[in-house]
């Protein structure tokens, strides 16, 4: 309606002729007809999710009076219904995004419900991981048959939970390693989404789900060694930061770069945690008692992720001057020598504090240079949190702490005020 | 057109796999229920602080400790093992020994995990630790079961069918009466 009023105004003011106005109206009418009704897709998917979840809730309901075989056969009903809907969708409704997302989503939950019902009927306890693995493998093809992003996201959640379950039982790394080929199996769909619709909501969700899934899975390896797992986390976050500027992911086109946000927040968080004595004292005593530098499995991950990050960084930096390389992109490399120093000497803690402080300064510098308030405040926050952490392990009186906080707070305001004034003057 | 045919072929295979795997699970478990060997596992009181989960009776077992000395026992927590079962002189099941591989085991056994370990014994986690019931009956069942299991005059056990390394609970008994029968008679 608004567009029509605008066009009418242009015609009235003789900016465009009435023939041109008619052609513009016809063009936008044809666009509306082709564009899928997004609200319909959302409600369709929500409806399928609710129906699917309702079926899952039926899992909690036991049927004592029925013969066991009858219960087992009835457990197939939701799955058969889901399969029928999927076949119908395949032959009749593949052009509709609503059907292509809703039908396989319903089948996804129906398959889970069937396996769960069978487990309940036969009182199978224990192993949630094998249930999840079977469920995910049986539903993975639906991602590609129907080009379904909802099933893809549910699949990513499922395999993350699968890896998490294995980690809670100290399974051998061979079983947890199965997560990686499971993740790779869905990456083709992810890259197809980026290529065809880089700014769609489904693509954005994938940009968040995949790195978070990887981070959740890494904690499954924690039982192998608690000290060196942090090495793996920091290297993984370094890889995310490298990927955040990788042109293939087209993350620069979106407002919120998920890999960068997760990478920066995670790196700052870990650096702040490592700025305390507890980690380095524990690392030295573990090294002294076990005579190991780093757990072999963790070492392999660090090596692979470091190589991948360096390849991506080199690709990002080609044809760009070295001064454009951000400090936060390479900070994970500085952790490698600090880790090994930390095996023998407490100076590692001081180095981490210095590293965190420099990182904060680079954010502030970057924020000032690009007149970006978010980066500026991020840098100030990093330094403020570092100082706050030091308050906990140094003997400074409350009065001095209070004064220091006041100075920091006033500094925060002044820097922001100065930046805003500078922006206004330049405009 | 070829792409559409290929995708339909994959869809068909997926449907067959979904039906086949679910069907084979039922077939396998029915086979265990019909032809598996029965064992009576004595049950132990559950942690009273464990919040009731509503849909099943949570079970814990008396005879899940095996006296054995193993090298590097600290690394064995969570390890998958095979518990070899035999009956004691009272006709109740006990764990004779454990094995780390399932090949060439001539006796009845089931897959388990090491839940606790020290220098002279290991504690096993039995996979048959839940007995599902209709949700209105499960709270009642758990009350009856907990009262019985702490009363030393009463004998509580789970009747378990074992075959080819798989174990399934058939029923829970209190003094040789099925818990479902006890609930039915209480509700009359």
């Amino acid at each position: 309606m608004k567009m029509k009023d605008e066009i009418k105004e242009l015609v009235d003011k003789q900016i465009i002729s009435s023939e041109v106005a008619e052609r513009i109206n016809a063009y936008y009418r044809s666009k509306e007809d082709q564009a899928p009704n997004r609200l319909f897709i959302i409600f369709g998917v929500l409806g399928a999710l609710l129906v699917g979840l309702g079926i899952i809730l039926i899992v909690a309901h036991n049927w004592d009076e029925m013969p066991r075989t009858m219960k087992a056969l009835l457990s197939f009903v939701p799955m058969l219904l889901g399969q029928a809907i999927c076949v119908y969708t395949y032959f009749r409704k593949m052009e509709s995004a609503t059907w292509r997302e809703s039908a396989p989503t319903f089948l996804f939950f129906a398959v889970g419900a069937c396996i769960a019902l069978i487990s309940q009927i036969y009182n199978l306890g224990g192993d949630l991981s094998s249930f999840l693995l079977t469920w995910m493998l049986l539903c993975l093809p639906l991602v590609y048959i129907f080009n379904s992003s909802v099933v893809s996201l549910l699949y990513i959640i499922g395999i993350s939970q699968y890896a998490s379950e294995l980690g809670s039982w100290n399974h051998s790394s061979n079983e947890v390693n199965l997560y990686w080929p499971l993740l790779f199996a869905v990456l083709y769909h992810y890259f197809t989404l980026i290529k065809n619709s880089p700014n769609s909501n489904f693509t954005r969700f994938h940009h968040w789900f995949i790195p978070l899934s990887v981070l959740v899975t890494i904690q499954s390896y924690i039982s192998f060694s608690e000290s060196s797992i942090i090495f793996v986390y920091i290297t993984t976050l370094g890889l995310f930061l490298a990927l955040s500027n990788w042109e293939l992911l087209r993350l620069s086109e979106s407002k919120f770069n998920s890999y960068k946000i997760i990478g920066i927040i995670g790196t700052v968080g870990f650096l702040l945690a490592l700025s305390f004595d507890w980690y380095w004292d524990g690392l030295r005593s573990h090294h002294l008692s076990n005579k190991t530098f780093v757990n072999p499995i963790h070492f392999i991950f660090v090596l692979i992720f470091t190589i991948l990050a360096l390849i991506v960084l080199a690709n990002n930096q080609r044809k760009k001057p070295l001064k454009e390389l951000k400090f936060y992109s390479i900070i994970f490399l500085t952790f490698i020598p600090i880790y090994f120093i930390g095996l023998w000497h407490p100076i590692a803690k001081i180095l981490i504090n210095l590293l965190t402080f420099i990182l904060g300064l680079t954010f502030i510098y970057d924020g000032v240079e690009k007149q970006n308030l978010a980066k500026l405040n991020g840098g100030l926050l990093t330094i403020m949190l570092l100082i706050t952490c030091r308050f906990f392990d140094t003997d400074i009186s409350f009065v001095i702490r209070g004064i220091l906080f006041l100075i920091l707070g006033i500094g925060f305001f002044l820097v922001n005020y100065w930046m805003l004034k500078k922006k206004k003057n330049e405009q | 057109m070829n792409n559409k045919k290929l995708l339909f072929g994959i869809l068909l295979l997926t449907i067959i796999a979904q039906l086949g795997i679910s069907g084979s699970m039922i077939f396998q478990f029915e086979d265990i229920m019909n032809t598996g060997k029965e064992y009576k596992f004595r049950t132990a009181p559950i942690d009273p602080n464990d919040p009731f989960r509503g849909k099943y009776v949570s079970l814990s077992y008396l005879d899940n400790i095996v006296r054995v000395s193993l090298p590097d026992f600290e690394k064995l927590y969570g390890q998958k093992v095979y518990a070899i079962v035999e009956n004691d002189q009272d006709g109740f099941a006990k764990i004779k020994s454990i094995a780390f591989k399932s090949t060439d085991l001539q006796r009845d056994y089931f897959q388990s995990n090491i839940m606790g370990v020290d220098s002279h014994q290991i504690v096993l986690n039995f996979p048959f630790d839940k007995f599902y019931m209709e949700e209105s009956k499960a709270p009642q069942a758990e009350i009856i079961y907990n009262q019985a299991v702490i009363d030393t005059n009463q004998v509580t056990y789970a009747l378990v069918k074992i075959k080819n390394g798989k174990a399934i609970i058939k029923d829970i008994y209190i003094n040789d009466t099925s818990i479902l029968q006890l609930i039915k008679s209480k509700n009359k």
Side-chain angles (χ1 to χ4, degrees):
Chain A
M1 226 22 234
K2 202 176 170 185
M3 178 63 81
K4 278 190 175 170
D5 293 339
E6 295 288 328
I7 293 169
K8 192 173 178 302
E9 193 184 326
L10 289 170
V11 171
D12 290 342
K13 288 189 177 164
Q14 295 177 335
I15 308 291
I16 57 173
S17 68
S18 48
E19 290 89 19
V20 171
E22 188 45 46
R23 276 162 56 193
I24 293 171
N25 279 327
Y27 170 74
Y28 279 109
R29 265 200 304 274
S30 72
K31 258 187 114 177
E32 273 172 23
D33 290 341
Q34 284 163 27
N37 187 331
R38 281 196 190 139
L39 212 56
F40 207 56
I41 296 173
I42 291 167
F43 280 123
V45 170
L46 270 172
L49 277 171
L50 283 167
V51 170
L53 284 168
I55 290 167
I56 295 288
L57 284 171
I58 289 171
V59 167
H61 197 81
N62 294 266
W63 316 306
D64 282 327
E65 311 309 321
M66 261 187 245
R68 197 177 54 239
T69 325
M70 172 74 91
K71 288 184 218 175
L73 289 171
L74 275 173
S75 68
F76 277 79
V77 170
M79 191 165 71
L80 286 167
L81 186 60
Q83 287 166 348
I85 293 170
C86 279
V87 170
Y88 173 75
T89 304
Y90 186 81
F91 283 110
R92 292 287 153 88
K93 299 283 183 184
M94 280 299 267
E95 70 288 347
S96 161
T98 311
W99 280 87
R100 276 193 294 102
E101 292 291 353
S102 308
T105 302
F106 179 84
L107 180 55
F108 178 90
F109 283 108
V111 168
C114 180
I115 302 171
L117 274 166
I118 292 170
S119 303
Q120 200 183 90
I121 289 161
Y122 293 96
N123 294 305
L124 303 175
D127 210 356
L128 181 61
S129 58
S130 58
F131 160 71
L132 284 167
L133 180 63
T134 309
W135 185 6
M136 293 307 120
L137 285 175
L138 286 175
C139 293
L140 172 63
L142 299 175
V143 173
Y144 292 101
I145 295 166
F146 295 97
N147 198 22
S148 171
S149 296
V150 176
V151 175
S152 171
L153 292 169
L154 290 168
Y155 172 85
I156 292 167
I157 294 170
I159 60 172
S160 311
Q161 185 58 34
Y162 161 73
S164 203
E165 278 295 315
L166 289 176
S168 66
W169 262 112
N170 193 28
H171 283 238
S172 74
S173 66
N174 289 339
E175 292 179 75
V176 183
N177 288 343
L178 193 51
Y179 165 82
W180 302 103
L182 289 171
L183 179 68
F184 288 146
V186 84
L187 288 183
Y188 181 77
H189 176 77
Y190 176 46
F191 283 111
T192 308
L193 271 178
I194 293 169
K195 187 183 161 196
N196 295 336
S197 39
N199 296 318
S200 79
N201 287 327
F202 281 135
T203 311
R204 287 190 194 120
F205 282 132
H206 276 79
H207 284 324
W208 283 97
F209 274 48
I210 287 174
L212 288 172
S213 168
V214 168
L215 285 178
V216 160
T217 300
I218 283 168
Q219 72 85 31
S220 305
Y221 291 92
I222 201 169
S223 52
F224 301 109
S225 164
E226 285 180 9
S227 1
S228 57
I229 194 73
I230 287 181
F231 209 165
V232 182
Y233 271 116
I234 289 187
T235 318
T236 309
L237 292 165
L239 176 59
F240 290 165
L241 287 168
L243 289 170
S244 67
N245 289 319
W246 195 28
E247 55 195 7
L248 232 65
L249 291 181
R250 297 172 72 170
L251 287 156
S252 53
E253 295 175 36
S254 64
K255 202 177 170 188
F256 296 105
N257 187 328
S258 56
Y259 285 78
K260 193 181 275 185
I261 291 170
I262 292 168
I264 289 175
I265 292 175
T267 303
V268 171
F270 271 110
L271 287 175
L272 289 171
L274 294 171
S275 69
F276 289 91
D277 280 318
W278 66 270
Y279 174 77
W280 302 103
D281 291 343
L283 183 70
R284 275 193 303 281
S285 67
H286 181 82
H287 167 59
L288 278 168
S289 56
N290 294 341
K291 305 282 181 251
T292 54
F293 297 112
V294 63
N295 179 278
I297 294 152
H298 295 169
F299 177 75
I300 290 168
F301 273 105
V302 168
L303 190 66
I304 293 172
F305 287 167
T306 303
I307 292 169
L308 286 172
L310 288 172
I311 292 170
V312 174
L313 273 173
N315 183 264
N316 294 345
Q317 274 305 118
R318 68 176 203 280
K319 297 176 190 172
K320 279 186 194 169
L322 200 62
K323 65 171 189 171
E324 280 192 32
L325 182 64
K326 302 289 179 202
F327 180 62
Y328 63 72
S329 305
I330 53 167
I331 204 167
F332 72 98
L333 292 169
T334 58
F335 185 71
I336 297 170
I338 294 176
Y339 178 86
F340 285 102
I341 292 169
L343 288 169
W344 282 288
H345 203 281
I347 200 174
K349 175 195 157 182
I350 296 167
L351 292 172
I352 287 288
N353 276 272
L354 196 61
L355 200 64
T356 315
F357 185 70
I358 294 169
L359 184 65
L361 285 177
T362 59
F363 286 145
I364 292 169
Y365 177 78
D366 216 19
V368 167
E369 206 187 36
K370 296 207 170 79
Q371 294 190 13
N372 186 316
L373 274 173
K375 281 184 185 170
L376 171 74
N377 285 316
L380 286 168
L381 186 66
T382 303
I383 292 174
M384 199 173 81
L385 285 170
L386 181 64
I387 293 168
T388 310
C389 287
R390 294 293 64 76
F391 280 175
F392 288 108
D393 56 9
T394 48
D395 293 321
I396 305 173
S397 75
F398 279 111
V399 173
I400 296 176
R401 287 184 205 193
I403 293 167
L404 276 168
F405 265 124
L406 266 170
I407 294 169
L408 275 169
I410 291 167
F412 230 113
F413 281 121
L414 284 174
V415 171
N416 274 279
Y417 175 73
W418 169 76
M419 174 76 106
L420 282 164
K421 204 174 171 192
K422 192 181 171 195
K423 255 186 163 174
K424 213 174 166 181
N425 287 341
E426 279 176 12
Q427 277 168 7
Chain B
M1 201 60 182
N2 279 338
N3 202 32
K4 204 166 164 77
K5 278 184 183 172
L6 175 67
L7 282 176
F8 179 64
I10 296 170
L11 176 61
L12 212 57
L13 280 169
T14 305
I15 289 171
I16 291 168
Q18 288 168 355
L19 291 168
I21 286 171
S22 309
S24 71
M25 280 170 75
I26 293 171
F27 181 78
Q28 186 186 48
F29 297 138
E30 279 295 320
D31 180 49
I32 296 169
M33 283 299 211
N34 294 330
T35 62
K37 190 167 173 193
E38 276 185 358
Y39 284 94
K40 294 194 269 189
F41 283 84
R42 273 181 289 232
T43 53
I46 57 164
D47 181 358
N49 294 320
D50 194 14
F52 170 62
R53 281 173 265 194
K55 311 297 183 284
Y56 54 81
V57 178
S58 214
L59 300 167
S60 126
Y61 294 91
L62 279 175
D63 303 306
N64 63 341
I65 297 173
V66 181
R67 299 206 183 280
V68 63
S69 292
L70 294 163
D72 294 326
F73 61 86
E74 306 92 346
K75 295 176 187 171
L76 293 175
Y77 177 76
Q79 173 85 27
K80 185 165 71 179
V81 293
Y82 299 93
I84 297 158
V85 188
E86 68 176 13
N87 281 327
D88 63 15
Q89 63 230 23
D90 299 321
F92 288 101
K94 66 173 188 181
I95 307 301
K96 182 176 189 281
S97 60
I98 60 161
F100 289 93
K101 288 180 188 170
S102 62
T103 47
D104 300 324
L105 289 175
Q106 302 296 323
R107 313 191 69 133
D108 292 321
Y109 67 94
F110 60 88
Q111 192 177 301
S112 176
N113 290 92
I114 295 177
M115 198 165 64
V117 61
D118 61 29
S119 55
H120 56 274
Q121 65 186 17
I122 56 170
V123 180
L124 295 174
N125 174 54
F126 288 180
F128 37 90
D129 57 355
K130 294 183 181 70
F131 186 70
Y132 288 90
M133 301 185 76
E134 195 260 311
E135 56 191 277
S136 62
K137 291 182 188 150
Q140 237 183 324
E142 193 154 276
I143 291 167
I144 295 170
Y145 169 76
N146 278 337
Q147 282 170 351
V149 86
I150 56 174
D151 181 353
T152 50
N153 293 323
Q154 301 199 60
V155 178
T156 57
Y157 59 89
L159 188 66
V160 177
K161 291 272 202 171
I162 297 178
K163 187 177 179 183
N164 296 334
K166 300 252 188 274
I168 302 175
I169 300 180
K170 195 175 170 191
D171 210 335
I172 302 174
Y173 284 84
I174 299 170
N175 294 333
D176 295 323
T177 306
S178 161
I179 197 163
L180 289 166
Q181 285 296 116
L182 285 170
I183 293 166
K184 274 183 190 167
S185 53
K186 264 209 165 191
N187 289 339
K188 276 184 186 164

